[in-house]
């Protein structure tokens, strides 16, 4: 009787509609999906229609064992049937090799929506031009690759999320590429190519994160961009005397900005005349109507120089909806945990009656006024 009950439950799952079975398999790690083939003859090839194929750390640790990765990926991709929506290759120690391009060519460019390629070791991988034939991408994440769209490429018009890390870009054409992807809502550029002028044109862009180097940034047609995080990884970005000035102007052109994070000397410069020019500019500005949505500001490595203080004063006077500003002092130049900075900020007028200012320091804790 018990055996019949188990068989009945097994038959119930087996007889579910294929789309429901695919959804169930899509929630399992790839190693478990493939293992369903041993359940019965009916399940032997169920895994071949799974919409998601993810080769990740857990697959490497718990399934791959002593087997070679390359022939296994070939086998799984060649046996796959039905629409494939997601493919992720992010196993540890993956090096650039020709097999990666062959795997990309085996992916269906008429259904794939989500692609992750993480080359974690060795040389930067030159991506096959076949990548630019995919027209249904919604999520694209590339690591340690060369990204250079082919001539005549019209963009990924359905792309929503783009994340590039340690990717070699073509600065002169990258702005045009972003403009050709009008559906982008999230853009992350982490330690990629340096830019003279980084151009961002995103009518639907809501989140922008940048770690790296640019001399100037231009936000065009970004009416809903609300979260901006900028971290500068080199002093090279300061070589132009107008850097801080242009950065302030660029940020002031974002009408929906709510959350702003700046790190690594964004408002400092090498010479006092540059600092003075930034401070003078900020002092001359009236409160900006474009910052009325700004709610959160975080500034790290804050030294308290005049340009930084004037920038804070400018934000406090402009951000009518500001709720919280957190300043993390630079340990090398601020010795009192930011208390002197807070004391001066007390005197600055605030457009938002609910605005709170915090100083966060690992040695002195978190203080607020």
């Amino acid at each position: 009787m018990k055996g019949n009950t188990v068989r009945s439950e097994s038959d119930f799952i087996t007889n579910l509609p294929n789309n429901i079975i695919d959804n169930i398999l899509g929630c399992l790690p790839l190693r478990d999906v493939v293992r369903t083939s041993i359940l019965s003859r009916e399940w032997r090839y169920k895994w071949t229609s799974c919409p998601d194929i993810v080769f990740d750390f857990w697959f490497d640790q718990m399934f791959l064992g002593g087997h070679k990765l390359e022939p296994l990926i070939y086998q799984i991709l060649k046996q796959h049937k039905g629409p494939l929506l997601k493919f992720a290759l992010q196993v540890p120690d993956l090096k650039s090799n020709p097999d990666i391009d062959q795997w990309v060519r085996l992916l269906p460019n008429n259904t794939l929506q989500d692609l992750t390629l993480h080359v974690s070791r060795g040389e930067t991988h030159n991506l096959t031009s076949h990548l630019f034939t995919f027209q249904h991408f919604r999520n694209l994440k590339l690591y340690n690759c060369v990204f250079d769209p082919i001539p005549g490429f019209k963009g990924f018009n359905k792309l929503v999320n783009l994340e590039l890390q340690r990717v070699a870009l073509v600065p002169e054409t990258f702005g045009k590429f972003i403009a050709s992807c009008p559906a982008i809502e999230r853009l992350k550029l982490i330690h990629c190519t340096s830019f003279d002028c980084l151009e961002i044109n995103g009518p639907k862009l809501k989140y922008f994160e940048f770690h790296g180097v640019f001399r100037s940034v231009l936000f065009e047609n970004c009416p809903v961009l609300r979260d901006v995080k900028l971290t500068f990884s080199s002093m090279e970005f300061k070589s132009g005397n107008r850097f801080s000035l242009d950065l302030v102007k660029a940020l002031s052109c974002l009408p929906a900005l709510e959350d702003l994070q700046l790190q690594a000397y964004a408002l400092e410069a090498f010479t006092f005349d540059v600092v003075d020019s930034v401070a003078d500019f900020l002092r001359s500005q009236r409160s900006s109507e474009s910052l009325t949505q700004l709610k959160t500001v975080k500034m790290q490595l804050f030294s308290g120089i005049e340009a930084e203080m004037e920038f804070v004063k400018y934000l406090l006077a402009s951000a009518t909806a500001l709720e919280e500003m957190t300043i993390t002092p630079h340990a090398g130049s601020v010795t009192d945990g930011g208390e002197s900075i807070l004391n001066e900020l007390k005197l600055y007028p605030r457009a938002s009656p609910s605005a709170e200012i915090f100083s966060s320091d690992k040695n002195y804790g978190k203080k607020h006024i």
Side-chain angles (χ1 to χ4, degrees):
M1 187 72 177
K2 183 178 180 180
N4 290 336
T5 301
V6 173
R7 180 175 179 80
S8 175
E9 291 176 351
S10 175
D11 290 342
F12 171 74
I13 296 176
T14 301
N15 293 325
L16 286 172
N18 288 334
N19 65 317
I20 295 180
I21 293 178
D22 289 342
N23 288 337
I24 294 173
L25 293 177
C27 296
L28 299 175
L30 182 58
R31 64 180 187 277
D32 295 331
V33 171
V34 176
R35 283 172 176 168
T36 62
S37 62
I38 66 174
L39 294 177
S40 67
R41 281 187 299 176
E42 289 83 0
W43 279 86
R44 185 174 182 182
Y45 296 107
K46 292 285 187 184
W47 68 270
T48 61
S49 62
C50 180
D52 298 348
I53 296 180
V54 177
F55 297 94
D56 57 9
F57 172 82
W58 297 110
F59 180 88
D60 177 80
Q61 294 294 309
M62 302 184 70
F63 187 84
L64 194 57
H67 300 285
K68 288 188 175 182
L69 178 68
E70 291 80 2
L72 190 58
I73 294 180
Y74 273 116
Q75 183 179 358
I76 289 176
L77 287 179
K78 286 183 176 180
Q79 292 189 41
H80 190 274
K81 300 176 182 178
L84 179 61
L85 303 181
K86 178 179 180 178
F87 180 78
L89 182 59
Q90 47 194 17
V91 295
D93 300 325
L94 179 66
K95 295 182 179 179
S96 174
N97 66 81
D99 289 315
I100 296 176
D101 292 338
Q102 293 299 323
W103 299 331
V104 171
R105 292 188 182 98
L106 289 174
L107 300 175
N109 60 4
N110 60 337
T111 64
L112 195 69
Q113 298 179 8
D114 192 324
L115 175 64
T116 298
L117 294 177
H118 193 147
V119 181
S120 55
R121 294 185 60 191
E123 298 179 355
T124 303
H125 181 74
N126 282 289
L127 290 167
T128 171
S129 60
H130 184 70
L131 179 75
F132 301 102
T133 67
F134 290 77
Q135 290 302 312
H136 294 275
F137 279 151
R138 290 182 58 82
N139 297 285
L140 179 60
K141 299 179 181 180
L142 303 175
Y143 302 79
N144 198 27
C145 299
V146 176
F147 187 81
D148 184 10
I150 58 177
F153 178 62
K154 302 298 183 182
F156 299 123
N157 57 16
K158 296 182 180 180
L159 188 64
V160 173
N161 179 42
L162 177 63
E163 183 174 330
L164 305 178
Q165 184 167 334
R166 300 192 183 280
V167 171
L169 304 170
V170 181
E172 294 77 14
T173 60
F174 184 73
K176 183 178 180 181
F177 162 73
I178 292 297
S180 69
C181 304
I184 286 185
E185 296 181 8
R186 292 178 60 87
L187 174 61
K188 295 178 69 173
L189 303 177
I190 312 296
H191 303 305
C192 296
T193 302
S194 300
F195 291 84
D196 275 334
C197 180
L198 175 60
E199 299 179 13
I200 303 296
N201 187 321
K204 295 186 178 181
L205 188 65
K206 299 177 182 178
Y207 177 93
F208 175 59
E209 182 173 352
F210 179 89
H211 296 243
V213 176
F214 62 66
R215 297 183 189 277
S216 65
V217 61
L218 179 62
F219 294 106
E220 292 184 327
N221 190 25
C222 298
V224 295
L225 180 55
R226 60 175 181 241
D227 291 346
V228 175
K229 296 177 174 60
L230 303 177
T231 300
F232 302 101
S233 58
S234 168
M235 299 293 282
E236 178 187 341
F237 71 90
K238 291 200 226 173
S239 59
N241 286 350
R242 291 184 53 85
F243 174 79
S244 298
L245 195 65
D246 292 338
L247 179 60
V248 171
K249 289 181 177 179
L251 294 173
S252 297
C253 293
L254 299 176
L257 186 62
E258 292 184 8
D259 190 339
L260 172 63
Q261 295 189 28
L262 299 177
Q263 183 173 330
Y265 319 104
L267 292 172
E268 294 184 35
F270 289 120
T271 59
F272 287 109
D273 60 322
V274 178
V275 173
D276 290 341
S277 69
V278 176
D280 289 342
F281 167 76
L282 289 169
R283 277 193 293 266
S284 70
Q285 300 303 297
R286 296 182 178 179
S287 59
S288 173
E289 295 181 358
S290 64
L291 297 176
T292 55
Q293 301 300 313
L294 187 62
K295 295 181 179 179
T296 307
V297 176
K298 295 181 181 179
M299 299 182 69
Q300 298 181 347
L301 299 176
F302 195 89
S303 299
I305 63 168
E306 188 178 7
E308 290 176 334
M309 299 300 284
E310 289 294 335
F311 181 62
V312 170
K313 182 186 291 186
Y314 176 65
L315 292 179
L316 290 174
S318 303
T320 55
L322 186 66
E323 297 174 358
E324 180 176 321
M325 176 181 288
T326 302
I327 294 171
T328 302
H330 189 299
S333 56
V334 179
T335 58
D336 62 354
E339 187 160 348
S340 59
I341 293 175
L342 285 179
N343 288 334
E344 184 171 346
L345 295 183
K346 288 180 183 178
L347 307 176
Y348 292 174
R350 308 178 195 182
S352 171
S354 59
E356 291 188 287
I357 305 175
F358 294 88
S359 174
S360 178
D361 183 270
K362 64 179 181 179
N363 295 320
Y364 291 85
K366 193 171 185 178
K367 305 175 183 178
H368 83 282
I369 56 174

